[in-house]
Amino acid sequence: MSPAEIDEGTPVSVKIRERLKAARKRFNANDNIADFIEPGDLEKMLDEVTLKMQGVLDSLVIDTDNDHNTSDTARRVAKMYVNEVFNGRYVKGPSITEFPNAEHLNELMIVGPITVRSACSHHFCPVIGKIWIGVLPNERTNVIGLSKYARIAEWIMNRPQIQEEAVIQLADLIQEKTQPDGLAIVMEASHFCMAWRGVKDMDSKMINSVMRGAFLKDPNLRREFLSLIPR
Ligand SMILES: [Zn+2]
């Protein structure tokens, strides 16, 4: 076989993995790997995941040949993973235009609730919840449009996530883009791996937060933020 033919037979996931390893980049479930994906790769990934998903259905002894409900399930699930719910791993982040803080805003600003949808890394079960973001700007802080917070959150959450890590990834990105004096994020979410399976508790929610800068140093600011978010 010629090298081109060998290359043709290599699964796209192996090629992407090799590029990541050569660059010594981490590729955990909640990492974005868009820089290592070449044009056309996602279509090939879709085919590869479809094939393997079909293998899962076969192993579960589901008659996809005769059961019309599941005849296209492998493809649907592959599309859902690659193009929708885990898309935040494969596409570059939303473009954010930052504006200088011309009005010299320096009062606590709260954005939320923003609805967030994700899946847990442990079971790939949905995680659905809300986040609130508190920003304390200074005169050098960049201002971004309100809708951009939701776009950034969606990109971070569209990956298999661990709630504690998701809020930190979100905080890091907002911190980097806007450089505020203080940043606070609270996330409250239902984890379907606790409702649908496991303990089957329908009501429990997980709440966690990150506090940075002024929110960490100033208990009054922290209290003000927490009292203003309607939970
Ligand atoms: Zn889980």
Side-chain angles (χ1 to χ4, degrees):
M1 273 199 288
S2 71
E5 281 168 324
I6 293 166
D7 187 61
E8 196 53 39
T10 307
V12 70
S13 66
V14 173
K15 291 184 196 169
I16 297 169
R17 201 180 294 253
E18 277 166 4
R19 289 172 208 148
L20 285 155
K21 283 186 173 159
R24 295 171 187 276
K25 284 282 177 196
R26 206 181 74 159
F27 49 103
N28 286 2
N30 59 2
D31 287 327
N32 177 276
I33 56 168
D35 286 344
F36 299 87
I37 291 176
E38 291 176 0
D41 280 357
L42 286 187
E43 288 73 21
K44 287 184 202 143
M45 188 188 285
L46 203 57
D47 292 340
E48 190 183 326
V49 177
T50 302
L51 215 62
K52 297 212 162 146
M53 208 48 228
Q54 183 59 47
V56 172
L57 289 159
D58 293 344
S59 294
L60 290 169
V61 198
I62 293 172
D63 184 1
T64 55
D65 289 333
N66 294 300
D67 172 10
H68 67 92
N69 292 327
T70 55
S71 63
D72 210 23
T73 294
R75 185 80 185 167
R76 277 192 293 265
V77 174
K79 274 188 179 165
M80 179 179 78
Y81 284 163
V82 177
N83 295 342
E84 296 176 283
V85 298
F86 299 153
N87 190 248
R89 300 193 76 230
Y90 308 117
V91 300
K92 291 194 199 303
S95 63
I96 307 287
T97 319
E98 299 126 40
F99 306 98
N101 183 358
E103 304 296 325
H104 297 296
L105 305 169
N106 62 357
E107 298 286 334
L108 170 61
M109 183 183 85
I110 298 175
V111 188
I114 297 171
T115 302
V116 290
R117 298 166 189 85
S118 192
C120 75
S121 301
H122 299 140
H123 305 91
F124 281 11
C125 279
V127 174
I128 310 266
K130 291 176 175 10
I131 55 167
W132 290 264
I133 302 167
V135 179
L136 188 73
N138 62 41
E139 62 267 30
R140 290 174 308 281
T141 297
N142 294 318
V143 181
I144 61 173
L146 285 183
S147 64
K148 298 297 183 188
Y149 289 98
R151 297 280 313 283
I152 292 176
E154 188 181 25
W155 183 62
I156 298 278
M157 297 299 166
N158 269 356
R159 308 168 191 182
Q161 277 287 8
I162 299 298
Q163 187 168 328
E164 302 91 309
E165 294 178 6
V167 288
I168 290 169
Q169 284 189 337
L170 186 58
D172 287 347
L173 192 56
I174 295 172
Q175 183 87 37
E176 176 201 322
K177 293 280 179 200
T178 64
Q179 306 287 331
D181 270 359
L183 176 65
I185 299 178
V186 168
M187 176 168 171
E188 179 187 88
S190 300
H191 289 243
F192 283 48
C193 59
M194 285 177 70
W196 185 29
R197 54 161 299 286
V199 294
K200 298 188 178 150
D201 183 343
M202 301 303 290
D203 300 316
S204 73
K205 285 184 162 61
M206 180 174 168
I207 301 171
N208 68 340
S209 64
V210 268
M211 300 284 160
R212 300 255 171 103
F215 288 93
L216 212 54
K217 288 178 221 132
D218 181 352
N220 289 327
L221 179 66
R222 194 159 61 231
R223 250 192 307 272
E224 187 188 352
F225 169 67
L226 293 172
S227 71
L228 285 171
I229 62 175
R231 285 208 351 255

